[in-house]
Amino acid sequence: MTMDDRKGGSVHRRRFLAKAVAAGGTLALAPVAARAAACRPEALGTARVLKVATAGGLEVGRKSYPRTLDLRPREVVLTFDDGPLPGPTDQVLAALRQECVRATFFLVGRMAHGAPALARRILAEGHTVAHHSMTHPMTLGQLPIERAKADMEAGFTAVDQALYGSYSGTPRTPFFRFPGFGDSPALNAWLAGRGIGIFGCDFWISDWNEMTPEAQLALAIRRLEQTKGGIILMHDTRHQTAAMLPAFLRELKQRDYKVVHIEPA
Ligand SMILES: [Zn+2]
């Protein structure tokens, strides 16, 4: 449970918590179950947690690679790139909390460096925090390889420094997404050798294009229904995405999609 859960809890939730504590402190024994149980009954909720092994490498996401995560039809993995950005990232976190769903955030190193408290809040609210380079070059795979590796390594360092105050030489969460999916066989092999998994996506919502939240919502639903789920790529830096997210999450629930949360094995 986070401070925000306690502060922002509805009356219903506060009553539940009071009862649960009175019933013998089950909250301390089962934090995940407690978090789910403390949700509004009509919330979307996280259906299950999928542990993802990355030893020896991993390439998932059908937009770039032949395979994806081990998901059933109508299961969705929510992912957000490019943050943290005060404002829209706060809005995204609020929407996720409201629906009791957990997501994966691929942070840009220099953004985490600029907003370390927000980076830590993403982690504290139960989300997976992963990596997306230091300066977000769109063509890492075409840069001189040592330059590309240096940017990626700087990103791992900046994000882990912001989150944990130190960097061990290996990212704590070994999940990486290439900006613009700009990978290369040499960089992919380098990541695989370090046990870092590469995440593409199964569909995106094109939220780099300017549009109204209404248009963004309609497009997201259209793409969702085309693919019937999978790894979805959104950007928590985009106002139009932050604005439509509450409605999009409600649509997932109404259309009987399930949210799967990914964590390192
Ligand atoms: Zn990006």
Side-chain angles (χ1 to χ4, degrees):
M1 195 193 328
T2 66
M3 288 305 290
D4 286 306
D5 281 327
R6 253 170 268 153
K7 276 188 307 206
S10 64
V11 171
H12 171 83
R13 190 153 58 184
R14 280 200 296 274
R15 278 194 196 130
F16 169 82
L17 290 173
K19 263 190 249 166
V21 170
T26 48
L27 286 175
L29 294 174
V32 173
R35 187 159 42 212
C39 293
R40 298 171 302 122
E42 66 275 27
L44 172 59
T46 299
R48 68 183 178 106
V49 175
L50 178 64
K51 298 283 185 183
V52 181
T54 58
L58 174 83
E59 296 176 358
V60 287
R62 290 215 168 89
K63 282 286 196 183
S64 306
Y65 306 111
R67 55 172 294 226
T68 191
L69 293 169
D70 192 10
L71 298 172
R72 303 167 197 137
R74 301 186 98 78
E75 283 189 333
V76 180
V77 174
L78 303 171
T79 72
F80 295 92
D81 284 11
D82 293 4
L85 183 63
T89 300
D90 293 282
Q91 253 183 291
V92 165
L93 287 174
L96 296 173
R97 197 184 320 125
Q98 172 75 9
E99 293 298 334
C100 285
V101 285
R102 295 199 280 158
T104 297
F105 290 75
F106 292 88
L107 301 192
V108 170
R110 65 178 174 191
M111 301 293 283
H113 182 73
L118 184 52
R120 286 192 291 274
R121 222 186 93 210
I122 298 171
L123 189 67
E125 297 200 6
H127 305 293
T128 292
V129 181
H131 302 272
H132 196 47
S133 83
M134 183 63 177
T135 66
H136 204 273
M138 290 302 277
T139 50
L140 273 170
Q142 290 167 36
L143 291 179
I145 190 155
E146 289 311 320
R147 232 177 93 203
K149 286 181 181 176
D151 194 283
M152 294 158 77
E153 195 62 24
F156 297 143
T157 307
V159 169
D160 275 12
Q161 281 283 356
L163 294 177
Y164 312 108
S166 66
Y167 176 59
S168 70
T170 303
R172 190 87 74 100
T173 295
F175 293 177
F176 181 76
R177 178 178 275 152
F178 282 95
F181 304 117
D183 69 353
S184 73
L187 288 176
N188 293 18
W190 179 63
L191 290 172
R194 300 179 63 185
I196 299 169
I198 302 169
F199 290 75
C201 74
D202 295 313
F203 68 110
W204 54 62
I205 63 169
S206 302
D207 57 351
W208 47 85
N209 296 323
E210 201 85 36
M211 65 188 91
T212 64
E214 292 75 22
Q216 186 64 79
L217 175 63
L219 181 56
I221 293 168
R222 199 156 67 238
R223 298 266 167 87
L224 171 76
E225 292 292 4
Q226 280 163 3
T227 58
K228 298 290 178 226
I231 306 168
I232 174 173
L233 163 63
M234 297 177 276
H235 291 83
D236 57 308
T237 50
R238 299 292 290 163
H239 289 278
Q240 68 208 38
T241 300
M244 71 86 188
L245 190 62
F248 182 62
L249 296 177
R250 287 194 298 272
E251 284 290 334
L252 287 178
K253 168 99 178 175
Q254 271 177 14
R255 291 163 190 261
D256 202 30
Y257 282 88
K258 305 288 182 210
V259 172
V260 174
H261 182 56
I262 55 171
E263 288 179 347

